Amino acid sequence: MGEPFAVKDCTLIAIATGEEAHNLREFNDRLKTLHPGCIYYHFWGGMLRPSFDEPEYQNDFAAWAWRSLHDTRLAERLAIVDPSHHPDIEDLRRELIDTIEERLAESEWVPWARSGQRFKFIRSQIVVFDTGKRITRPKDMAEQIAGLSLGSVFYHFIDARRRTDSGRSDFVEWLQADDSQRYAEFIGSINAIDPYFTTLAELRRELALAFQTCPVERETHDRHP
Amino acid sequence: MTAILDEYAAIVGEAVIDHLRQLAAPLKGMRVVHVNSTREGGGVAEILNWLVPFKQELGLDVCWEVVTGAANFYQCTKSFHNGLQGNPVGIPPVLLRAYEQTNADNAERLRSVLEEADFVFIHDPQPAPLLRLCPNRKGKWVWRCHIDLSRPYRAVWKYLREFVAGYDASIWSLADFAQPLPHPLYLIAPSIDPLSQKNRDLYPGEIEAVFDRYHLDPDLPLITQVSRFDRFKDPLGVIQAYRLVKEFTPVQLVLAGGGATDDPEGEEVLREVREAAGDDPDIHILLLPSDAHREINALQRASTICLQKSIREGFGLTVTEALWKGKPVIGGDTGGIRLQVINHHTGFLVNTPEGAALRIRYLLKNRDRLDAMGRKARALVLDNFLVTRHLREYLTLMFATMHAGTDRIEL
C-alpha cells in the first residue's frame, strides 16, 4: 500500500433553521427550497442521535409522516427512500418531492400535524479532526476497526459518500489507491455493505468482519518467500 | 490524566475522554468567559459548576462571572422568565430601566475581561445587554437560552430580542424552543452530571434508609414523581393513575417536590394534591428542601418506576436522572420527554392518567421487561445525556462559530 490510512473523527452540531411545516403541503413547499444540508441531516444525522427506533422509519421525514401526520402509506413510501442510492442531494430531493406530490394527488385532504408536532427543519455543521492513528495495511484494519469511535465510522463510511469523487467510503478510496488490482473483489464486498438500514455500531461490526476476509498483501510474501 | 478526568473516564470510558481531549487541543489557551446571574441554585449554576472546571482541565482558560443587582433587577428578570414561558405579564418601565442600569453597572466591572475574551457565553436573559455594552469586544459572543421559549408572551420576547439579535450565535435546548434570530441557532440538549450528589452512586444503606425515613413499605412497588407542585406537571393526574392501578395491584406512590415557596399557585396546587390524596396511607407527599439532592437520588433509586406525567415540559432533567438510575419512565408526550422516553425501550409516552395506569400495570406485571427497559434507559443516558456529550457539543460549537457559514470544518 502507498499512504497509510489516516483515521479521522468527527462531531456534528445541529442548527435550527427556523423553517417548519404544519401540514404535508407546507412540507412539500419547504422541501423545494430547503438548504441541502437539511435533507442530509434528516437522512443521516439520526445515526449520531439517540434512537431506539425501528429501522423502517430510519429517516426523520418518514417518522414524522407516521407519528405526526398518521399517514402510514406516506411513511412507508418515504421510509423506503435510500439516500445511498442517489448520486447527490438534489436527486434525493427530487425523489422526495415526487413521492409527496403523488400522495397529495391521491389524498382527498391534506394531512396535518397537531401544533406541538410540526416538523422543524434542522441542518448541521460537521467538525473533523485527525485522531493521529494510522493504519498501514488493510489486513490490520480488521483489528483496528473495532476500536474506532462511531464518529470515525460515520466520517469514513457515511460522510465520505458526499466528499469523495467516487461517492464511496474512504476505505474503498484507500484500497483503490493500490494499483495492483489485488483488492478488486474485496472492494466489492465493502461496497455491498448497506450503510442505511442499520446503526453505526452495526456498520462497524460489518466492516470488521469484511476486513477479516481482506487478501494478504503480496509484498509480505515477497519479503519472506 | 487528571483526577476529575479520571473520574469521568471511569463512567463513560477513556475513549470518550480522549475524544474530548483531541477536540479541545486546538482550543487550548483560549480565553472563555461564562456569565450568568447566580453562582448557586438553579439549573444554570448547576451546569456551570461542572462545565467550567471540565473545560479548564482540557486546557482552556475559562472563568465564570456573575452579574449582581438589587431586588428590582431580579423582580424584572423573574417577570422575563414568566413571560418567556408564556405568561402574559406586564413589566413596568421602572423595572426595565433597573434591568438596563444593572447591566450597565456590571459592564463597568466586567468590561475588560469580556472584551479581551475569545469566547463569551451569556446565559439566559439576565446578562443579555452586556453585548451592547462591550463595543470593543474581540471574540465570539454566544447567548445560551435555557428557557422554554416555544410560546413566549410576545411583548417580553420583542423587548429581549433587541438585546440578543446582535450575538454571533445562540444555543437552545430543543428545536421547539428556538425563536428566529439573525444568527445560527445551535441545538444542544441539557445533560446531567453523573458525579453530582443527585446522580452519583449511593451506598446501599442510603437507599434503604429512605423507606424508614418516609414510612414507605419496602415490600410494595414504589411509583415516584419528582417535580414541583405545578399544574403543568399534572400531579393530580398522577394520583388518578395510581388509583386506577391500585384497583388491581398493591402499590405506593411518592410525589416529591420543593417545599412551600412564595409562588401562590404552587401552594394552591399543593393544597389540591393533598386534598386528592385524602387519607390514603400509600400516597406520600414529600416536601424536600432545594438542596436535598442525595435524598432525591435515593428516592429515585428506591423506586420501581418513575413518572413524569407532564402536560407541558421543557427538557425534563428529572426524566434523565431517573433513566440514569436504571428506571423506566412513564412520561407525558411533550417537550424534551419525547427525546428521552422511547416507547417500549426506555419507558412509555402517555397522554392521560388512564394511559399512565395502563403502562404502570404492564411494567409491574412484566418485571423482566421492566428490568430490560431500565438497562436500556441507563444506556441511553450514558451515550447521549451526560455532561461529556454536552461538553463535546460546546467545543464543537466553538469551532462552528469560528467558521460561521462553513458546513464542514477540518481541523
Side-chain angles (χ1 to χ4, degrees):
Chain A
M1 289 299 291
E3 290 290 307
F5 188 92
V7 179
K8 296 195 174 183
D9 203 339
C10 73
T11 167
L12 297 186
I13 181 98
I15 304 173
T17 63
E19 298 261 10
E20 57 183 31
H22 298 79
N23 61 50
L24 191 58
R25 193 172 300 285
E26 268 185 16
F27 184 85
N28 197 39
D29 291 344
R30 299 279 181 279
L31 205 52
K32 288 173 182 165
T33 57
L34 267 184
H35 187 292
C38 284
I39 297 174
Y40 183 83
Y41 180 82
H42 289 295
F43 269 89
W44 292 113
M47 294 188 105
L48 287 170
R49 289 202 311 269
S51 175
F52 287 109
D53 277 0
E54 295 305 314
E56 61 262 37
Y57 296 113
Q58 190 97 350
N59 74 69
D60 295 341
F61 301 147
W64 182 66
W66 176 59
R67 283 200 199 113
S68 303
L69 299 180
H70 306 293
D71 186 339
T72 47
R73 195 172 285 205
L74 176 65
E76 286 171 7
R77 289 174 187 170
L78 289 172
I80 203 67
V81 174
D82 187 336
S84 60
H85 288 170
H86 292 267
D88 55 43
I89 290 286
E90 292 313 315
D91 197 63
L92 174 59
R93 188 198 301 265
R94 276 192 293 278
E95 179 171 351
L96 290 170
I97 291 169
D98 284 348
T99 304
I100 291 166
E101 288 186 347
E102 182 189 6
R103 184 67 186 136
L104 282 167
E106 69 190 23
S107 302
E108 288 175 14
W109 52 281
V110 177
W112 56 274
R114 279 173 21 206
S115 69
Q117 302 198 344
R118 290 167 290 183
F119 192 90
K120 305 264 184 180
F121 292 94
I122 294 171
R123 65 183 184 88
S124 62
Q125 278 174 284
I126 183 169
V127 174
V128 182
F129 58 96
D130 195 331
T131 64
K133 277 187 204 153
R134 295 291 181 271
I135 297 169
T136 49
R137 298 179 309 168
K139 198 68 189 164
D140 297 335
M141 190 66 91
E143 287 171 24
Q144 300 284 332
I145 218 160
L148 296 188
S149 73
L150 296 182
S152 291
V153 176
F154 183 87
Y155 178 77
H156 290 300
F157 204 71
I158 306 292
D159 182 70
R161 289 159 197 270
R162 64 171 176 170
R163 198 168 19 84
T164 57
D165 292 338
S166 65
R168 299 292 184 182
S169 71
D170 286 333
F171 303 111
V172 166
E173 290 275 305
W174 183 52
L175 294 166
Q176 277 176 337
D178 184 282
D179 298 330
S180 67
Q181 295 296 309
R182 82 190 81 167
Y183 299 117
E185 200 177 325
F186 175 62
I187 285 171
S189 67
I190 298 287
N191 281 336
I193 296 174
D194 184 345
Y196 191 55
F197 293 102
T198 187
T199 63
L200 289 174
E202 179 59 22
L203 262 183
R204 181 169 58 189
R205 200 185 62 80
E206 283 185 67
L207 282 165
L209 280 176
F211 269 99
Q212 281 171 9
T213 67
C214 179
V216 175
E217 290 176 65
R218 198 169 298 141
E219 295 94 319
T220 310
H221 301 295
D222 292 345
R223 280 200 297 270
H224 306 286
Chain B
M1 211 182 273
T2 63
I4 185 171
L5 295 183
D6 273 341
E7 280 198 80
Y8 284 110
I11 295 167
V12 298
E14 300 230 342
V16 171
I17 302 297
D18 280 348
H19 185 104
L20 287 174
R21 292 169 89 96
Q22 286 176 331
L23 195 55
L27 299 169
K28 256 188 186 156
M30 282 208 174
R31 276 172 295 184
V32 182
V33 185
H34 287 269
V35 186
N36 78 324
S37 64
T38 175
R39 215 169 274 282
E40 279 179 13
V44 180
E46 221 170 272
I47 289 168
L48 292 176
N49 264 312
W50 65 259
L51 183 67
V52 170
F54 211 149
K55 278 185 176 174
Q56 286 167 340
E57 293 291 338
L58 291 171
L60 283 75
D61 179 3
V62 190
C63 69
W64 173 8
E65 302 289 348
V66 172
V67 291
T68 52
N72 52 6
F73 170 72
Y74 296 107
Q75 205 181 330
C76 181
T77 57
K78 169 81 181 163
S79 301
F80 284 162
H81 196 270
N82 290 337
L84 293 175
Q85 296 212 93
N87 295 333
V89 290
I91 305 178
V94 64
L95 289 187
L96 296 176
R97 278 198 300 277
Y99 170 69
E100 292 175 25
Q101 187 56 48
T102 303
N103 269 281
D105 296 343
N106 278 278
E108 291 303 317
R109 182 172 56 87
L110 299 172
R111 187 169 291 118
S112 62
V113 68
L114 294 177
E115 288 189 339
E116 287 303 309
D118 298 300
F119 276 93
V120 176
F121 290 93
I122 298 288
H123 294 263
D124 280 344
Q126 293 91 334
L130 288 176
L131 175 96
R132 283 186 180 179
L133 297 161
C134 295
N136 300 316
R137 58 188 181 274
K138 283 188 352 195
K140 299 289 183 188
W141 283 56
V142 179
W143 184 58
R144 198 335 171 186
C145 180
H146 297 268
I147 304 169
D148 173 357
L149 241 75
S150 49
R151 280 171 274 183
Y153 176 50
R154 285 288 148 190
V156 171
W157 174 238
K158 193 176 163 193
Y159 172 79
L160 283 170
R161 192 184 184 283
E162 294 300 310
F163 293 110
V164 298
Y167 280 75
D168 295 297
S170 52
I171 307 174
W172 307 79
S173 296
L174 291 175
D176 283 341
F177 299 172
Q179 290 292 323
L181 284 166
H183 58 230
L185 313 171
Y186 289 103
L187 301 175
I188 300 184
S191 61
I192 58 165
D193 182 357
L195 299 178
S196 68
Q197 296 297 325
K198 215 187 268 184
N199 297 304
R200 66 184 318 139
D201 287 343
L202 298 177
Y203 303 109
E206 286 185 85
I207 300 166
E208 285 154 17
V210 297
F211 285 101
D212 286 340
R213 200 171 311 131
Y214 299 114
H215 312 293
L216 304 173
D217 183 345
D219 298 323
L220 270 187
L222 174 59
I223 314 296
T224 301
Q225 174 156 308
V226 175
S227 66
R228 295 193 314 273
F229 292 97
D230 177 329
R231 288 190 213 289
F232 286 132
K233 312 293 180 189
D234 198 19
L236 297 179
V238 171
I239 291 176
Q240 195 184 336
Y242 153 84
R243 293 227 158 91
L244 289 168
V245 174
K246 208 176 177 185
E247 286 176 24
F248 297 90
T249 183
V251 66
Q252 58 191 330
L253 172 70
V254 163
L255 287 166
T261 67
D262 55 356
D263 174 7
E265 192 176 281
E267 283 178 17
E268 193 184 321
V269 175
L270 179 57
R271 189 182 47 73
E272 288 170 18
V273 168
R274 283 189 166 132
E275 207 170 284
D279 55 2
D280 187 332
D282 289 324
I283 300 180
H284 304 267
I285 299 162
L286 308 183
L287 292 177
L288 301 174
S290 60
D291 61 350
H293 300 315
R294 237 177 146 90
E295 202 78 352
I296 296 283
N297 186 342
L299 277 168
Q300 286 171 325
R301 287 179 195 275
S303 303
T304 317
I305 299 167
C306 290
L307 255 60
Q308 190 59 58
K309 219 207 84 44
S310 305
I311 294 161
R312 192 164 166 204
E313 187 59 75
F315 184 74
L317 279 175
T318 51
V319 172
T320 329
E321 289 160 13
L323 296 173
W324 177 241
K325 285 145 196 153
K327 307 298 169 184
V329 172
I330 296 171
D333 186 5
T334 182
I337 299 177
R338 287 185 192 141
L339 275 188
Q340 305 181 70
V341 176
I342 316 287
N343 264 332
H344 296 278
H345 292 278
T346 61
F348 293 101
L349 292 170
V350 297
N351 295 285
T352 58
E354 289 82 357
L358 177 76
R359 298 310 192 176
I360 293 169
R361 283 184 60 195
Y362 171 83
L363 287 174
L364 292 180
K365 192 164 173 62
N366 296 278
R367 291 303 183 103
D368 289 350
R369 290 283 299 139
L370 188 150
D371 293 341
M373 285 166 80
R375 284 192 292 276
K376 268 192 171 181
R378 185 172 167 95
L380 181 85
V381 177
L382 178 66
D383 289 342
N384 301 287
F385 298 117
L386 293 185
V387 293
T388 38
R389 187 275 310 155
H390 200 158
L391 177 57
R392 185 188 74 214
E393 294 192 325
Y394 256 100
L395 298 172
T396 308
L397 172 135
M398 289 170 73
F399 292 114
T401 314
M402 285 156 69
H403 300 85
T406 315
D407 283 350
R408 172 179 300 279
I409 300 145
E410 302 256 359
L411 302 181

